[in-house]
PDB file of all heavy atoms in Angstrom:
ATOM      1  N   TYR A 623      -8.235   0.641  35.592  1.00 80.00           N
ATOM      2  CA  TYR A 623      -8.502   1.834  34.661  1.00 80.00           C
ATOM      3  C   TYR A 623      -9.286   2.791  35.500  1.00 80.00           C
ATOM      4  O   TYR A 623      -9.269   3.987  35.057  1.00 80.00           O
ATOM      5  CB  TYR A 623      -9.334   1.256  33.472  1.00 80.00           C
ATOM      6  CG  TYR A 623      -8.615   0.329  32.621  1.00 80.00           C
ATOM      7  CD1 TYR A 623      -9.317  -0.764  32.086  1.00 80.00           C
ATOM      8  CD2 TYR A 623      -7.345   0.533  32.231  1.00 80.00           C
ATOM      9  CE1 TYR A 623      -8.705  -1.619  31.208  1.00 80.00           C
ATOM     10  CE2 TYR A 623      -6.738  -0.428  31.478  1.00 80.00           C
ATOM     11  CZ  TYR A 623      -7.346  -1.398  30.913  1.00 80.00           C
ATOM     12  OH  TYR A 623      -6.761  -2.343  30.135  1.00 80.00           O
ATOM     13  N   VAL A 624      -9.997   2.352  36.528  1.00 82.00           N
ATOM     14  CA  VAL A 624     -10.926   3.395  37.184  1.00 82.00           C
ATOM     15  C   VAL A 624     -10.137   3.924  38.353  1.00 82.00           C
ATOM     16  O   VAL A 624     -10.690   4.870  39.116  1.00 82.00           O
ATOM     17  CB  VAL A 624     -12.239   2.824  37.572  1.00 82.00           C
ATOM     18  CG1 VAL A 624     -13.099   2.358  36.399  1.00 82.00           C
ATOM     19  CG2 VAL A 624     -12.146   1.665  38.582  1.00 82.00           C
ATOM     20  N   ASN A 627     -11.538   5.248  41.854  1.00 87.00           N
ATOM     21  CA  ASN A 627     -12.986   4.870  41.878  1.00 87.00           C
ATOM     22  C   ASN A 627     -13.113   3.432  42.114  1.00 87.00           C
ATOM     23  O   ASN A 627     -14.285   2.983  42.365  1.00 87.00           O
ATOM     24  CB  ASN A 627     -13.575   5.319  40.542  1.00 87.00           C
ATOM     25  CG  ASN A 627     -13.607   6.770  40.361  1.00 87.00           C
ATOM     26  OD1 ASN A 627     -13.780   7.520  41.481  1.00 87.00           O
ATOM     27  ND2 ASN A 627     -13.744   7.230  39.181  1.00 87.00           N
TER      28      ASN A 627
ATOM     29  N   ALA B 991      -6.593   7.898  26.956  1.00 93.00           N
ATOM     30  CA  ALA B 991      -7.420   8.223  28.046  1.00 93.00           C
ATOM     31  C   ALA B 991      -7.035   7.751  29.266  1.00 93.00           C
ATOM     32  O   ALA B 991      -7.323   8.170  30.457  1.00 93.00           O
ATOM     33  CB  ALA B 991      -8.886   7.871  27.790  1.00 93.00           C
ATOM     34  N   ARG B1002      -5.143   1.008  27.196  1.00 93.00           N
ATOM     35  CA  ARG B1002      -5.921  -0.036  26.469  1.00 93.00           C
ATOM     36  C   ARG B1002      -5.624  -0.143  24.972  1.00 93.00           C
ATOM     37  O   ARG B1002      -5.267   0.927  24.380  1.00 93.00           O
ATOM     38  CB  ARG B1002      -7.401   0.249  26.666  1.00 93.00           C
ATOM     39  CG  ARG B1002      -7.841   0.241  28.167  1.00 93.00           C
ATOM     40  CD  ARG B1002      -9.293   0.627  28.339  1.00 93.00           C
ATOM     41  NE  ARG B1002      -9.577   2.005  27.926  1.00 93.00           N
ATOM     42  CZ  ARG B1002     -10.139   2.810  28.828  1.00 93.00           C
ATOM     43  NH1 ARG B1002     -10.530   2.486  30.118  1.00 93.00           N
ATOM     44  NH2 ARG B1002     -10.361   4.126  28.490  1.00 93.00           N
ATOM     45  N   ILE B1041      -8.264   8.415  21.112  1.00 98.00           N
ATOM     46  CA  ILE B1041      -9.139   8.837  22.169  1.00 98.00           C
ATOM     47  C   ILE B1041     -10.521   8.931  21.697  1.00 98.00           C
ATOM     48  O   ILE B1041     -10.776   9.220  20.533  1.00 98.00           O
ATOM     49  CB  ILE B1041      -8.572  10.241  22.871  1.00 98.00           C
ATOM     50  CG1 ILE B1041      -9.377  10.496  24.096  1.00 98.00           C
ATOM     51  CG2 ILE B1041      -8.725  11.401  21.818  1.00 98.00           C
ATOM     52  CD1 ILE B1041      -8.606  11.185  25.081  1.00 98.00           C
ATOM     53  N   ALA B1042     -11.466   8.692  22.608  1.00 98.00           N
ATOM     54  CA  ALA B1042     -12.954   8.453  22.205  1.00 98.00           C
ATOM     55  C   ALA B1042     -13.835   9.376  23.049  1.00 98.00           C
ATOM     56  O   ALA B1042     -13.427   9.888  24.122  1.00 98.00           O
ATOM     57  CB  ALA B1042     -13.332   7.045  22.388  1.00 98.00           C
ATOM     58  N   VAL B1043     -15.032   9.585  22.519  1.00 98.00           N
ATOM     59  CA  VAL B1043     -16.071  10.168  23.279  1.00 98.00           C
ATOM     60  C   VAL B1043     -17.354   9.400  23.125  1.00 98.00           C
ATOM     61  O   VAL B1043     -17.623   8.877  21.978  1.00 98.00           O
ATOM     62  CB  VAL B1043     -16.267  11.667  22.822  1.00 98.00           C
ATOM     63  CG1 VAL B1043     -16.676  11.904  21.475  1.00 98.00           C
ATOM     64  CG2 VAL B1043     -17.427  12.262  23.780  1.00 98.00           C
ATOM     65  N   ALA B1044     -18.144   9.098  24.209  1.00 98.00           N
ATOM     66  CA  ALA B1044     -19.336   8.287  24.091  1.00 98.00           C
ATOM     67  C   ALA B1044     -20.482   9.081  24.341  1.00 98.00           C
ATOM     68  O   ALA B1044     -20.516  10.079  25.149  1.00 98.00           O
ATOM     69  CB  ALA B1044     -19.234   7.164  25.144  1.00 98.00           C
ATOM     70  N   LEU B1045     -21.593   8.844  23.512  1.00 98.00           N
ATOM     71  CA  LEU B1045     -22.866   9.523  23.706  1.00 98.00           C
ATOM     72  C   LEU B1045     -23.937   8.637  24.551  1.00 98.00           C
ATOM     73  O   LEU B1045     -24.811   9.117  25.165  1.00 98.00           O
ATOM     74  CB  LEU B1045     -23.463   9.939  22.336  1.00 98.00           C
ATOM     75  CG  LEU B1045     -22.940  11.227  21.787  1.00 98.00           C
ATOM     76  CD1 LEU B1045     -21.409  11.156  21.515  1.00 98.00           C
ATOM     77  CD2 LEU B1045     -23.723  11.491  20.446  1.00 98.00           C
ATOM     78  N   SER B1046     -23.589   7.244  24.496  1.00 97.00           N
ATOM     79  CA  SER B1046     -24.410   6.362  25.200  1.00 97.00           C
ATOM     80  C   SER B1046     -23.695   4.984  25.424  1.00 97.00           C
ATOM     81  O   SER B1046     -22.605   4.802  24.771  1.00 97.00           O
ATOM     82  CB  SER B1046     -25.699   6.015  24.427  1.00 97.00           C
ATOM     83  OG  SER B1046     -25.468   5.212  23.314  1.00 97.00           O
ATOM     84  N   GLY B1047     -24.121   4.269  26.384  1.00 94.00           N
ATOM     85  CA  GLY B1047     -23.409   3.051  26.725  1.00 94.00           C
ATOM     86  C   GLY B1047     -23.793   1.894  25.838  1.00 94.00           C
ATOM     87  O   GLY B1047     -24.653   1.938  24.853  1.00 94.00           O
ATOM     88  N   GLY B1057     -23.788  -0.849  30.050  1.00 85.00           N
ATOM     89  CA  GLY B1057     -22.764  -0.871  31.005  1.00 85.00           C
ATOM     90  C   GLY B1057     -22.655   0.380  31.816  1.00 85.00           C
ATOM     91  O   GLY B1057     -22.076   0.329  32.906  1.00 85.00           O
ATOM     92  N   PHE B1058     -23.078   1.509  31.184  1.00 87.00           N
ATOM     93  CA  PHE B1058     -23.133   2.749  31.920  1.00 87.00           C
ATOM     94  C   PHE B1058     -24.208   3.579  31.364  1.00 87.00           C
ATOM     95  O   PHE B1058     -24.668   3.389  30.234  1.00 87.00           O
ATOM     96  CB  PHE B1058     -21.729   3.476  31.916  1.00 87.00           C
ATOM     97  CG  PHE B1058     -21.325   3.984  30.462  1.00 87.00           C
ATOM     98  CD1 PHE B1058     -21.716   5.259  30.067  1.00 87.00           C
ATOM     99  CD2 PHE B1058     -20.529   3.125  29.715  1.00 87.00           C
ATOM    100  CE1 PHE B1058     -21.326   5.607  28.740  1.00 87.00           C
ATOM    101  CE2 PHE B1058     -20.126   3.543  28.426  1.00 87.00           C
ATOM    102  CZ  PHE B1058     -20.535   4.823  27.987  1.00 87.00           C
ATOM    103  N   ASP B1059     -24.745   4.575  32.159  1.00 90.00           N
ATOM    104  CA  ASP B1059     -25.757   5.454  31.810  1.00 90.00           C
ATOM    105  C   ASP B1059     -25.292   6.845  31.608  1.00 90.00           C
ATOM    106  O   ASP B1059     -24.515   7.366  32.428  1.00 90.00           O
ATOM    107  CB  ASP B1059     -26.941   5.391  32.715  1.00 90.00           C
ATOM    108  CG  ASP B1059     -27.607   4.007  32.715  1.00 90.00           C
ATOM    109  OD1 ASP B1059     -27.963   3.607  31.578  1.00 90.00           O
ATOM    110  OD2 ASP B1059     -27.811   3.424  33.857  1.00 90.00           O
ATOM    111  N   LEU B1060     -25.789   7.431  30.514  1.00 95.00           N
ATOM    112  CA  LEU B1060     -25.549   8.953  30.349  1.00 95.00           C
ATOM    113  C   LEU B1060     -26.871   9.566  30.170  1.00 95.00           C
ATOM    114  O   LEU B1060     -27.757   8.944  29.574  1.00 95.00           O
ATOM    115  CB  LEU B1060     -24.676   9.167  29.105  1.00 95.00           C
ATOM    116  CG  LEU B1060     -23.244   8.729  29.242  1.00 95.00           C
ATOM    117  CD1 LEU B1060     -22.486   8.923  27.898  1.00 95.00           C
ATOM    118  CD2 LEU B1060     -22.470   9.615  30.260  1.00 95.00           C
ATOM    119  N   ALA B1061     -27.029  10.767  30.671  1.00 95.00           N
ATOM    120  CA  ALA B1061     -28.343  11.554  30.426  1.00 95.00           C
ATOM    121  C   ALA B1061     -28.408  11.837  29.008  1.00 95.00           C
ATOM    122  O   ALA B1061     -27.464  11.749  28.227  1.00 95.00           O
ATOM    123  CB  ALA B1061     -28.308  12.762  31.355  1.00 95.00           C
ATOM    124  N   ASP B1063     -28.613  14.503  27.437  1.00 96.00           N
ATOM    125  CA  ASP B1063     -27.811  15.581  26.906  1.00 96.00           C
ATOM    126  C   ASP B1063     -26.361  15.509  27.367  1.00 96.00           C
ATOM    127  O   ASP B1063     -25.619  16.493  27.443  1.00 96.00           O
ATOM    128  CB  ASP B1063     -28.371  16.957  27.382  1.00 96.00           C
ATOM    129  CG  ASP B1063     -28.461  17.048  28.813  1.00 96.00           C
ATOM    130  OD1 ASP B1063     -28.195  16.036  29.520  1.00 96.00           O
ATOM    131  OD2 ASP B1063     -28.711  18.162  29.303  1.00 96.00           O
ATOM    132  N   GLU B1064     -25.943  14.311  27.777  1.00 98.00           N
ATOM    133  CA  GLU B1064     -24.670  14.207  28.368  1.00 98.00           C
ATOM    134  C   GLU B1064     -23.685  13.262  27.585  1.00 98.00           C
ATOM    135  O   GLU B1064     -24.228  12.358  26.916  1.00 98.00           O
ATOM    136  CB  GLU B1064     -24.854  13.532  29.844  1.00 98.00           C
ATOM    137  CG  GLU B1064     -23.713  13.614  30.755  1.00 98.00           C
ATOM    138  CD  GLU B1064     -23.992  12.956  32.109  1.00 98.00           C
ATOM    139  OE1 GLU B1064     -24.719  11.883  32.119  1.00 98.00           O
ATOM    140  OE2 GLU B1064     -23.521  13.418  33.078  1.00 98.00           O
ATOM    141  N   ILE B1065     -22.408  13.562  27.618  1.00 98.00           N
ATOM    142  CA  ILE B1065     -21.362  12.844  26.852  1.00 98.00           C
ATOM    143  C   ILE B1065     -20.306  12.423  27.894  1.00 98.00           C
ATOM    144  O   ILE B1065     -20.145  13.063  28.960  1.00 98.00           O
ATOM    145  CB  ILE B1065     -20.827  13.658  25.692  1.00 98.00           C
ATOM    146  CG1 ILE B1065     -20.198  14.814  26.145  1.00 98.00           C
ATOM    147  CG2 ILE B1065     -21.876  13.785  24.645  1.00 98.00           C
ATOM    148  CD1 ILE B1065     -19.392  15.704  25.117  1.00 98.00           C
ATOM    149  N   GLU B1066     -19.494  11.460  27.632  1.00 97.00           N
ATOM    150  CA  GLU B1066     -18.331  11.163  28.411  1.00 97.00           C
ATOM    151  C   GLU B1066     -17.140  10.934  27.491  1.00 97.00           C
ATOM    152  O   GLU B1066     -17.055  10.158  26.561  1.00 97.00           O
ATOM    153  CB  GLU B1066     -18.584   9.848  29.154  1.00 97.00           C
ATOM    154  CG  GLU B1066     -17.493   9.560  30.129  1.00 97.00           C
ATOM    155  CD  GLU B1066     -17.844   8.529  31.230  1.00 97.00           C
ATOM    156  OE1 GLU B1066     -19.078   8.014  31.202  1.00 97.00           O
ATOM    157  OE2 GLU B1066     -17.052   8.151  31.890  1.00 97.00           O
ATOM    158  N   TYR B1067     -15.996  11.697  27.937  1.00 97.00           N
ATOM    159  CA  TYR B1067     -14.799  11.616  27.200  1.00 97.00           C
ATOM    160  C   TYR B1067     -13.877  10.499  27.706  1.00 97.00           C
ATOM    161  O   TYR B1067     -13.901  10.299  28.928  1.00 97.00           O
ATOM    162  CB  TYR B1067     -14.007  12.925  27.375  1.00 97.00           C
ATOM    163  CG  TYR B1067     -14.552  14.154  26.678  1.00 97.00           C
ATOM    164  CD1 TYR B1067     -15.088  15.150  27.523  1.00 97.00           C
ATOM    165  CD2 TYR B1067     -14.635  14.238  25.329  1.00 97.00           C
ATOM    166  CE1 TYR B1067     -15.623  16.352  26.929  1.00 97.00           C
ATOM    167  CE2 TYR B1067     -15.205  15.436  24.725  1.00 97.00           C
ATOM    168  CZ  TYR B1067     -15.701  16.442  25.546  1.00 97.00           C
ATOM    169  OH  TYR B1067     -16.256  17.537  24.954  1.00 97.00           O
ATOM    170  N   GLY B1068     -13.156   9.815  26.843  1.00 96.00           N
ATOM    171  CA  GLY B1068     -12.279   8.798  27.225  1.00 96.00           C
ATOM    172  C   GLY B1068     -12.722   7.379  27.552  1.00 96.00           C
ATOM    173  O   GLY B1068     -12.067   6.617  28.116  1.00 96.00           O
ATOM    174  N   VAL B1069     -14.026   7.183  27.089  1.00 95.00           N
ATOM    175  CA  VAL B1069     -14.574   5.853  27.458  1.00 95.00           C
ATOM    176  C   VAL B1069     -13.854   4.774  26.620  1.00 95.00           C
ATOM    177  O   VAL B1069     -13.475   5.016  25.380  1.00 95.00           O
ATOM    178  CB  VAL B1069     -16.112   5.929  27.003  1.00 95.00           C
ATOM    179  CG1 VAL B1069     -16.682   4.479  26.959  1.00 95.00           C
ATOM    180  CG2 VAL B1069     -16.939   6.773  28.026  1.00 95.00           C
ATOM    181  N   GLY B1070     -13.715   3.564  27.131  1.00 93.00           N
ATOM    182  CA  GLY B1070     -13.061   2.549  26.424  1.00 93.00           C
ATOM    183  C   GLY B1070     -14.003   1.761  25.487  1.00 93.00           C
ATOM    184  O   GLY B1070     -15.260   1.865  25.648  1.00 93.00           O
ATOM    185  N   GLY B1073     -16.857   0.034  27.271  1.00 89.00           N
ATOM    186  CA  GLY B1073     -17.633   0.864  28.138  1.00 89.00           C
ATOM    187  C   GLY B1073     -16.862   1.290  29.454  1.00 89.00           C
ATOM    188  O   GLY B1073     -17.469   1.672  30.439  1.00 89.00           O
ATOM    189  N   GLU B1074     -15.540   1.029  29.534  1.00 87.00           N
ATOM    190  CA  GLU B1074     -14.785   1.455  30.649  1.00 87.00           C
ATOM    191  C   GLU B1074     -14.943   2.975  30.820  1.00 87.00           C
ATOM    192  O   GLU B1074     -14.934   3.710  29.905  1.00 87.00           O
ATOM    193  CB  GLU B1074     -13.245   1.077  30.499  1.00 87.00           C
ATOM    194  CG  GLU B1074     -12.955  -0.399  30.233  1.00 87.00           C
ATOM    195  CD  GLU B1074     -12.808  -0.831  28.843  1.00 87.00           C
ATOM    196  OE1 GLU B1074     -13.538  -0.173  28.025  1.00 87.00           O
ATOM    197  OE2 GLU B1074     -12.125  -1.840  28.610  1.00 87.00           O
ATOM    198  N   PRO B1075     -15.010   3.390  32.030  1.00 84.00           N
ATOM    199  CA  PRO B1075     -15.344   4.812  32.330  1.00 84.00           C
ATOM    200  C   PRO B1075     -14.223   5.652  31.759  1.00 84.00           C
ATOM    201  O   PRO B1075     -13.090   5.225  31.604  1.00 84.00           O
ATOM    202  CB  PRO B1075     -15.245   4.906  33.879  1.00 84.00           C
ATOM    203  CG  PRO B1075     -15.520   3.540  34.356  1.00 84.00           C
ATOM    204  CD  PRO B1075     -15.004   2.568  33.362  1.00 84.00           C
ATOM    205  N   GLY B1076     -14.672   6.820  31.368  1.00 89.00           N
ATOM    206  CA  GLY B1076     -13.676   7.850  30.758  1.00 89.00           C
ATOM    207  C   GLY B1076     -13.168   8.832  31.780  1.00 89.00           C
ATOM    208  O   GLY B1076     -13.286   8.517  33.072  1.00 89.00           O
ATOM    209  N   TYR B1077     -12.724   9.971  31.356  1.00 92.00           N
ATOM    210  CA  TYR B1077     -12.132  10.922  32.287  1.00 92.00           C
ATOM    211  C   TYR B1077     -12.961  12.154  32.638  1.00 92.00           C
ATOM    212  O   TYR B1077     -12.742  12.857  33.559  1.00 92.00           O
ATOM    213  CB  TYR B1077     -10.693  11.422  31.777  1.00 92.00           C
ATOM    214  CG  TYR B1077     -10.764  12.078  30.473  1.00 92.00           C
ATOM    215  CD1 TYR B1077     -11.085  13.461  30.384  1.00 92.00           C
ATOM    216  CD2 TYR B1077     -10.499  11.448  29.247  1.00 92.00           C
ATOM    217  CE1 TYR B1077     -11.054  14.196  29.146  1.00 92.00           C
ATOM    218  CE2 TYR B1077     -10.453  12.130  28.068  1.00 92.00           C
ATOM    219  CZ  TYR B1077     -10.768  13.416  27.980  1.00 92.00           C
ATOM    220  OH  TYR B1077     -10.776  14.214  26.851  1.00 92.00           O
ATOM    221  N   ARG B1078     -14.007  12.343  31.893  1.00 94.00           N
ATOM    222  CA  ARG B1078     -14.856  13.544  32.177  1.00 94.00           C
ATOM    223  C   ARG B1078     -16.255  13.346  31.565  1.00 94.00           C
ATOM    224  O   ARG B1078     -16.398  12.958  30.360  1.00 94.00           O
ATOM    225  CB  ARG B1078     -14.221  14.781  31.759  1.00 94.00           C
ATOM    226  CG  ARG B1078     -14.819  16.075  32.421  1.00 94.00           C
ATOM    227  CD  ARG B1078     -14.079  17.282  32.119  1.00 94.00           C
ATOM    228  NE  ARG B1078     -14.363  17.876  30.745  1.00 94.00           N
ATOM    229  CZ  ARG B1078     -13.401  18.224  29.869  1.00 94.00           C
ATOM    230  NH1 ARG B1078     -12.112  18.048  30.223  1.00 94.00           N
ATOM    231  NH2 ARG B1078     -13.720  18.735  28.714  1.00 94.00           N
ATOM    232  N   LYS B1079     -17.279  13.686  32.313  1.00 96.00           N
ATOM    233  CA  LYS B1079     -18.567  13.881  31.723  1.00 96.00           C
ATOM    234  C   LYS B1079     -19.074  15.294  31.585  1.00 96.00           C
ATOM    235  O   LYS B1079     -18.687  16.128  32.508  1.00 96.00           O
ATOM    236  CB  LYS B1079     -19.687  13.164  32.695  1.00 96.00           C
ATOM    237  CG  LYS B1079     -19.635  11.646  32.605  1.00 96.00           C
ATOM    238  CD  LYS B1079     -20.677  11.080  33.515  1.00 96.00           C
ATOM    239  CE  LYS B1079     -20.522   9.614  33.702  1.00 96.00           C
ATOM    240  NZ  LYS B1079     -21.516   8.990  34.510  1.00 96.00           N
ATOM    241  N   GLU B1080     -19.747  15.625  30.542  1.00 96.00           N
ATOM    242  CA  GLU B1080     -20.197  17.010  30.502  1.00 96.00           C
ATOM    243  C   GLU B1080     -21.383  17.137  29.549  1.00 96.00           C
ATOM    244  O   GLU B1080     -21.828  16.038  28.892  1.00 96.00           O
ATOM    245  CB  GLU B1080     -19.181  17.972  30.005  1.00 96.00           C
ATOM    246  CG  GLU B1080     -18.598  17.770  28.627  1.00 96.00           C
ATOM    247  CD  GLU B1080     -17.521  18.808  28.292  1.00 96.00           C
ATOM    248  OE1 GLU B1080     -16.752  19.291  29.241  1.00 96.00           O
ATOM    249  OE2 GLU B1080     -17.394  19.171  27.168  1.00 96.00           O
ATOM    250  N   LYS B1081     -21.998  18.228  29.345  1.00 98.00           N
ATOM    251  CA  LYS B1081     -23.166  18.391  28.467  1.00 98.00           C
ATOM    252  C   LYS B1081     -22.606  18.267  26.975  1.00 98.00           C
ATOM    253  O   LYS B1081     -21.567  18.531  26.723  1.00 98.00           O
ATOM    254  CB  LYS B1081     -23.724  19.816  28.606  1.00 98.00           C
ATOM    255  CG  LYS B1081     -24.362  20.100  29.951  1.00 98.00           C
ATOM    256  CD  LYS B1081     -25.806  19.836  29.975  1.00 98.00           C
ATOM    257  CE  LYS B1081     -26.563  20.169  31.261  1.00 98.00           C
ATOM    258  NZ  LYS B1081     -27.632  19.353  31.535  1.00 98.00           N
ATOM    259  N   LEU B1082     -23.496  17.629  26.149  1.00 97.00           N
ATOM    260  CA  LEU B1082     -23.271  17.476  24.678  1.00 97.00           C
ATOM    261  C   LEU B1082     -22.725  18.839  24.148  1.00 97.00           C
ATOM    262  O   LEU B1082     -23.383  19.901  24.396  1.00 97.00           O
ATOM    263  CB  LEU B1082     -24.448  17.010  24.037  1.00 97.00           C
ATOM    264  CG  LEU B1082     -24.139  16.805  22.506  1.00 97.00           C
ATOM    265  CD1 LEU B1082     -23.189  15.691  22.198  1.00 97.00           C
ATOM    266  CD2 LEU B1082     -25.523  16.356  21.884  1.00 97.00           C
ATOM    267  N   GLN B1083     -21.701  18.734  23.306  1.00 96.00           N
ATOM    268  CA  GLN B1083     -21.107  19.915  22.788  1.00 96.00           C
ATOM    269  C   GLN B1083     -21.261  19.789  21.189  1.00 96.00           C
ATOM    270  O   GLN B1083     -21.391  18.702  20.711  1.00 96.00           O
ATOM    271  CB  GLN B1083     -19.549  19.973  23.027  1.00 96.00           C
ATOM    272  CG  GLN B1083     -19.232  20.003  24.464  1.00 96.00           C
ATOM    273  CD  GLN B1083     -19.600  21.317  25.124  1.00 96.00           C
ATOM    274  OE1 GLN B1083     -19.560  22.334  24.503  1.00 96.00           O
ATOM    275  NE2 GLN B1083     -20.090  21.210  26.354  1.00 96.00           N
ATOM    276  N   LEU B1088     -16.042  18.989  20.343  1.00 98.00           N
ATOM    277  CA  LEU B1088     -15.605  17.576  20.573  1.00 98.00           C
ATOM    278  C   LEU B1088     -14.240  17.375  19.985  1.00 98.00           C
ATOM    279  O   LEU B1088     -13.286  16.923  20.632  1.00 98.00           O
ATOM    280  CB  LEU B1088     -16.603  16.592  20.062  1.00 98.00           C
ATOM    281  CG  LEU B1088     -18.079  16.598  20.528  1.00 98.00           C
ATOM    282  CD1 LEU B1088     -18.824  15.490  19.922  1.00 98.00           C
ATOM    283  CD2 LEU B1088     -18.024  16.383  22.057  1.00 98.00           C
ATOM    284  N   GLU B1091     -11.512  19.114  21.950  1.00 98.00           N
ATOM    285  CA  GLU B1091     -11.122  18.435  23.238  1.00 98.00           C
ATOM    286  C   GLU B1091     -10.309  17.167  22.852  1.00 98.00           C
ATOM    287  O   GLU B1091      -9.191  17.083  23.476  1.00 98.00           O
ATOM    288  CB  GLU B1091     -12.373  17.962  23.864  1.00 98.00           C
ATOM    289  CG  GLU B1091     -12.258  16.969  25.077  1.00 98.00           C
ATOM    290  CD  GLU B1091     -11.380  17.471  26.260  1.00 98.00           C
ATOM    291  OE1 GLU B1091     -11.418  18.720  26.465  1.00 98.00           O
ATOM    292  OE2 GLU B1091     -10.761  16.688  26.947  1.00 98.00           O
ATOM    293  N   LEU B1092     -10.685  16.336  21.911  1.00 98.00           N
ATOM    294  CA  LEU B1092     -10.024  15.087  21.573  1.00 98.00           C
ATOM    295  C   LEU B1092      -8.745  15.365  20.967  1.00 98.00           C
ATOM    296  O   LEU B1092      -7.643  14.789  21.322  1.00 98.00           O
ATOM    297  CB  LEU B1092     -10.921  14.198  20.783  1.00 98.00           C
ATOM    298  CG  LEU B1092     -12.255  13.809  21.402  1.00 98.00           C
ATOM    299  CD1 LEU B1092     -12.981  12.789  20.451  1.00 98.00           C
ATOM    300  CD2 LEU B1092     -11.974  13.099  22.763  1.00 98.00           C
ATOM    301  N   MET B1115     -18.458   4.120  16.972  1.00 98.00           N
ATOM    302  CA  MET B1115     -18.543   3.137  18.039  1.00 98.00           C
ATOM    303  C   MET B1115     -19.636   2.100  17.916  1.00 98.00           C
ATOM    304  O   MET B1115     -19.778   1.179  18.733  1.00 98.00           O
ATOM    305  CB  MET B1115     -18.611   3.798  19.450  1.00 98.00           C
ATOM    306  CG  MET B1115     -17.535   4.869  19.670  1.00 98.00           C
ATOM    307  SD  MET B1115     -15.890   4.107  19.667  1.00 98.00           S
ATOM    308  CE  MET B1115     -15.830   3.094  21.088  1.00 98.00           C
ATOM    309  N   MET B1155     -22.882   1.120  21.272  1.00 98.00           N
ATOM    310  CA  MET B1155     -22.442   2.363  21.847  1.00 98.00           C
ATOM    311  C   MET B1155     -22.563   3.457  20.760  1.00 98.00           C
ATOM    312  O   MET B1155     -22.117   3.268  19.610  1.00 98.00           O
ATOM    313  CB  MET B1155     -21.145   2.249  22.389  1.00 98.00           C
ATOM    314  CG  MET B1155     -20.580   3.550  23.165  1.00 98.00           C
ATOM    315  SD  MET B1155     -18.864   3.527  23.560  1.00 98.00           S
ATOM    316  CE  MET B1155     -18.833   2.200  24.790  1.00 98.00           C
ATOM    317  N   ALA B1156     -23.098   4.705  21.198  1.00 98.00           N
ATOM    318  CA  ALA B1156     -22.951   5.792  20.336  1.00 98.00           C
ATOM    319  C   ALA B1156     -21.744   6.581  20.675  1.00 98.00           C
ATOM    320  O   ALA B1156     -21.528   6.710  21.888  1.00 98.00           O
ATOM    321  CB  ALA B1156     -24.347   6.683  20.432  1.00 98.00           C
ATOM    322  N   GLY B1157     -21.005   6.915  19.726  1.00 98.00           N
ATOM    323  CA  GLY B1157     -19.750   7.705  20.023  1.00 98.00           C
ATOM    324  C   GLY B1157     -18.843   7.588  18.879  1.00 98.00           C
ATOM    325  O   GLY B1157     -19.079   7.002  17.790  1.00 98.00           O
ATOM    326  N   ILE B1158     -17.626   8.182  19.139  1.00 98.00           N
ATOM    327  CA  ILE B1158     -16.721   8.235  18.026  1.00 98.00           C
ATOM    328  C   ILE B1158     -15.207   8.284  18.634  1.00 98.00           C
ATOM    329  O   ILE B1158     -15.089   8.665  19.744  1.00 98.00           O
ATOM    330  CB  ILE B1158     -16.909   9.568  17.246  1.00 98.00           C
ATOM    331  CG1 ILE B1158     -16.437   9.358  15.762  1.00 98.00           C
ATOM    332  CG2 ILE B1158     -16.325  10.791  17.926  1.00 98.00           C
ATOM    333  CD1 ILE B1158     -17.014  10.326  14.756  1.00 98.00           C
TER     334      ILE B1158
END
Side-chain angles (χ1 to χ4, degrees):
Chain A
Y623 299 136
V624 299
N627 291 331
Chain B
R1002 301 177 288 238
I1041 188 145
V1043 59
L1045 278 59
S1046 70
F1058 63 91
D1059 289 311
L1060 289 172
D1063 61 347
E1064 197 180 32
I1065 58 169
E1066 184 168 355
Y1067 294 113
V1069 168
E1074 296 95 332
Y1077 61 84
R1078 195 171 81 230
K1079 286 183 190 181
E1080 64 181 34
K1081 293 267 183 210
L1082 178 62
Q1083 305 289 325
L1088 298 180
E1091 168 67 25
L1092 300 184
M1115 303 303 290
M1155 185 189 290
I1158 205 160

